[in-house]
Amino acid sequence: MMPSFNFDNTYARLPERFGTRLNPTPVQSPRLIKLNRNLADQLGLDLDELDNKTAAALFSGNLVPEGAEPLAMAYAGHQFGNFVPQLGDGRAILLGEVIDRAGRRWDIQLKGSGQTPFSRRGDGRAALGPVLREYLISDAMHALGIPTTRALAAVTSGEPVFRETPLPGAVLTRVASSHIRIGTFQYFAMREDREAVKLLADYAIGRHYPDLKSAPNPYSALLTTVQERQASLIARWMHVGFIHGVMNTDNMTISGETIDYGPCAFMDQYNPDTVFSSIDDFGRYAFGNQPRIAQWNLARFAETLLPLLHDEQDSAIAIAVEIINRFSDIFDNFWLTGMRRKLGLAIEQQDDKQLIDSLLQLLQQHKADYTNVFRALSHIAEGPATEPALNDYLPQTPDFDNWLERWQTRLDQEPGSPAQRAEAMRQVNPAYIPRNHKVEQALSAAVQDEDFSKFEALLDVLNKPFTEQPGCRHYQEPPQPDERVYQTFCGT
Ligand SMILES: Nc1ncnc2c1ncn2[C@@H]1O[C@H](COP(=O)(O)OP(=O)(O)OP(=O)(O)O)[C@@H](O)[C@H]1O
């Protein structure tokens, strides 16, 4: 018998307008490129019974497992500030929800699995490059400890997809604690379908935040909680230099997981104005704008909940505004806590923020590599000779030397030994991030030469981001001028 998941579908039980039931469109000759075996095992798949052929059929959509109730979810969204009343899964299909070995619930979704009623003019498919990109970066994010949707499998379809040129097609299997987005709420709110908004809010509370059911107003509690999750998420992105690139409201989850790895990238040189996405002409989603945009998106979420917040509109608006206005303080707090950790500061002091800000200013001024500077500092906290090669990434200037002295003086007030402090810093300052030039090199070898060795090697390194690994120094190196990637493209 074919190994399968322990399905328990609840989203499919919602009324029909929440999605359209349909099966994935089969592909010609699916081939398994990558299976996340740890995740598959966690999800309860019997790996001994799962041969590559069956896995390829399962994760391409050619074989719909028993218990699945495939559907394309409806959602809307603000894209670059403009409202689009109907987006929806145009190339994705939710197979259903599975209960894993630990009793937790996960969505299993195929992305690139064929057209749906939400496809508009799209072909419903995905190209291999973006599928591998999402696989790599979401896995790296998970290893960095950042909430994210996960990649379970990547399969090539044996069919070309036509973008500007024909490219190999592929299907990604994505796992998420749910795929409910701010845009899912917007879809119903703009139709003034209050019943659906309430059903969805109750569903989201039951699925993600069951403790809120007993709150005096569960819906304002939902808004507060989603805001907190998102503020924490964005702070974590900022701590590692991640730029999402397309923070539309359809790409913000209610669970607080990172979703949609289209044009995302990690910053090399520190500069808050950094933008990679080829379609972000005005820098709306630049690194430094991410907190502000998250708050803007949360305000759109609040709007959808207004009828549930209070019977009277003015009072509902007052409740929403009061909550959304707290975003900056909540974000700043998460951000500062993480940045303190990055500098080995366990005790809170008034002028820590000033110390951090002046470091960031220096990094920007000297075009220093964000990741390597913090990694170098993590070693220096133990002694300057611990990883001397990394010290080359520190600005060699008197103003930076002054800053180092200030920091050392501040560190002397901390408890614990220098070795303990350094170790704690190494646990939060990665040695390895998915540097864009390395990602592009791995993807082009895979797409152009069917050589997956670079992809595999990069994935391996990124799975242990906080430990220097022998022979892997080159993954730490920022791009040479001729390797630099200036633009990333939406995952299509
Ligand atoms: N090739 C395609 N065929 C059909 N629809 C598409 C295609 N590419 C994107 N879309 C649709 O366009 C909208 C915006 O796409 P976007 O790139 O933000 O999402 P995505 O990467 O497909 O999905 P997700 O947000 O679930 O990761 C979505 O409704 C998506 O389903």
Side-chain angles (χ1 to χ4, degrees):
M1 214 179 77
M2 190 193 76
S4 189
F5 298 103
N6 176 17
F7 277 105
D8 175 36
N9 309 316
T10 55
Y11 200 83
R13 301 277 98 79
L14 290 170
E16 232 167 74
R17 59 196 191 280
F18 284 79
T20 303
R21 295 286 294 274
L22 86 166
N23 279 344
T25 310
V27 300
Q28 218 166 53
S29 41
R31 182 180 143 217
L32 183 70
I33 297 299
K34 186 72 191 165
L35 173 65
N36 186 335
R37 300 184 73 83
N38 284 339
L39 181 57
D41 182 54
Q42 178 200 318
L43 292 170
L45 269 190
D46 185 347
L47 289 168
D48 295 334
E49 295 286 314
L50 189 69
D51 59 87
N52 278 5
K53 197 160 163 261
T54 314
L58 184 62
F59 297 121
S60 60
N62 280 17
L63 198 105
V64 176
E66 208 180 302
E69 291 177 86
L71 69 87
M73 290 171 72
Y75 58 85
H78 274 90
Q79 301 198 309
F80 291 90
N82 302 309
F83 187 65
V84 185
Q86 180 164 308
L87 291 163
D89 288 333
R91 56 166 169 171
I93 285 185
L94 176 68
L95 286 181
E97 293 144 53
V98 305
I99 307 298
D100 74 7
R101 293 191 197 277
R104 286 168 304 196
R105 175 178 299 276
W106 301 99
D107 272 6
I108 309 277
Q109 193 203 56
L110 302 180
K111 187 166 162 184
S113 51
Q115 286 179 318
T116 77
F118 302 107
S119 300
R120 296 182 302 279
R121 285 185 299 279
D123 59 3
R125 295 300 187 191
L128 176 61
V131 162
L132 295 181
R133 191 181 174 79
E134 177 156 349
Y135 197 117
L136 259 178
I137 303 186
S138 62
D139 222 36
M141 292 287 269
H142 176 72
L144 288 166
I146 299 174
T148 177
T149 61
R150 309 278 315 270
L152 176 60
V155 169
T156 46
S157 61
E159 295 171 9
V161 293
F162 297 93
R163 301 300 180 243
E164 269 151 25
T165 51
L167 295 166
V171 180
L172 179 82
T173 305
R174 180 163 68 185
V175 175
S177 71
S178 92
H179 283 84
I180 306 171
R181 310 152 192 253
I182 290 180
T184 321
F185 281 83
Q186 288 181 296
Y187 180 84
F188 298 107
M190 70 77 54
R191 285 169 175 72
E192 296 187 15
D193 185 347
R194 289 181 182 196
E195 185 201 59
V197 174
K198 183 169 182 322
L199 267 174
L200 186 62
D202 288 337
Y203 178 83
I205 290 171
R207 182 153 172 186
H208 293 293
Y209 310 112
D211 292 351
L212 304 185
K213 274 185 207 165
S214 52
N217 182 335
Y219 309 109
S220 64
L222 176 66
L223 180 58
T224 303
T225 306
V226 171
Q227 167 159 279
E228 227 169 82
R229 293 286 172 114
Q230 283 294 339
S232 158
L233 179 69
I234 311 299
R236 285 163 185 249
W237 291 357
M238 308 297 279
H239 292 146
V240 296
F242 176 76
I243 307 169
H244 183 282
V246 60
M247 285 176 71
N248 295 331
T249 55
D250 55 300
N251 289 332
M252 251 177 124
T253 57
I254 299 304
S255 66
E257 287 167 341
T258 312
I259 191 169
D260 197 338
Y261 288 89
C264 67
F266 279 70
M267 190 167 59
D268 296 301
Q269 292 175 355
Y270 179 76
N271 184 345
D273 297 333
T274 309
V275 175
F276 283 102
S277 169
S278 64
I279 56 170
D280 192 0
D281 292 335
F282 301 104
R284 179 181 170 89
Y285 299 142
F287 178 74
N289 273 354
Q290 296 185 122
R292 202 171 59 76
I293 292 292
Q295 185 183 27
W296 191 88
N297 289 347
L298 287 159
R300 306 290 78 74
F301 180 42
E303 284 164 4
T304 71
L305 296 177
L306 286 178
L308 301 175
L309 294 181
H310 202 281
D311 289 340
E312 310 221 338
Q313 200 186 32
D314 287 352
S315 305
I317 292 173
I319 294 171
V321 168
E322 200 267 316
I323 294 172
I324 299 295
N325 279 348
R326 289 204 295 262
F327 179 87
S328 300
D329 284 347
I330 298 170
F331 171 81
D332 288 350
N333 201 21
F334 280 124
W335 183 81
L336 193 56
T337 303
M339 292 307 285
R340 276 202 180 99
R341 266 194 216 130
K342 281 174 82 70
L343 287 180
L345 309 177
I347 304 172
E348 289 183 18
Q349 286 193 8
Q350 269 288 292
D351 44 7
D352 289 345
K353 171 126 186 4
Q354 213 273 327
L355 185 72
I356 295 162
D357 284 343
S358 47
L359 171 63
L360 293 177
Q361 264 165 27
L362 286 168
L363 298 191
Q364 183 172 0
Q365 196 180 321
H366 297 296
K367 298 186 164 46
D369 186 88
Y370 182 69
T371 304
N372 286 350
V373 165
F374 278 97
R375 189 71 185 178
L377 293 177
S378 313
H379 292 297
I380 289 178
E382 194 160 3
T386 321
E387 278 281 336
L390 276 181
N391 295 349
D392 293 347
Y393 292 102
L394 302 176
Q396 312 292 325
T397 56
D399 51 3
F400 190 77
D401 291 344
N402 283 342
W403 183 90
L404 271 180
E405 250 176 62
R406 264 175 75 198
W407 176 56
Q408 288 288 2
T409 313
R410 175 67 182 78
L411 275 187
D412 291 342
Q413 301 162 16
E414 289 287 320
S417 68
Q420 284 167 332
R421 274 199 294 274
E423 192 42 38
M425 285 178 71
R426 283 192 288 262
Q427 293 309 310
V428 292
N429 291 312
Y432 307 105
I433 51 158
R435 291 186 184 270
N436 228 350
H437 65 297
K438 290 290 179 193
V439 173
E440 294 296 330
Q441 285 163 12
L443 299 195
S444 71
V447 173
Q448 283 160 25
D449 309 325
E450 289 192 40
D451 170 7
F452 294 93
S453 58
K454 283 191 173 145
F455 168 78
E456 292 283 354
L458 182 56
L459 197 61
D460 249 16
V461 174
L462 295 173
N463 266 299
K464 294 183 269 323
F466 299 112
T467 314
E468 269 96 358
Q469 298 158 51
C472 293
R473 173 69 80 201
H474 66 105
Y475 290 107
Q476 287 179 280
E477 286 165 10
Q480 295 297 318
D482 62 329
E483 291 177 317
R484 194 163 285 156
V485 177
Y486 293 95
Q487 278 200 325
T488 50
F489 297 88
C490 258
T492 53

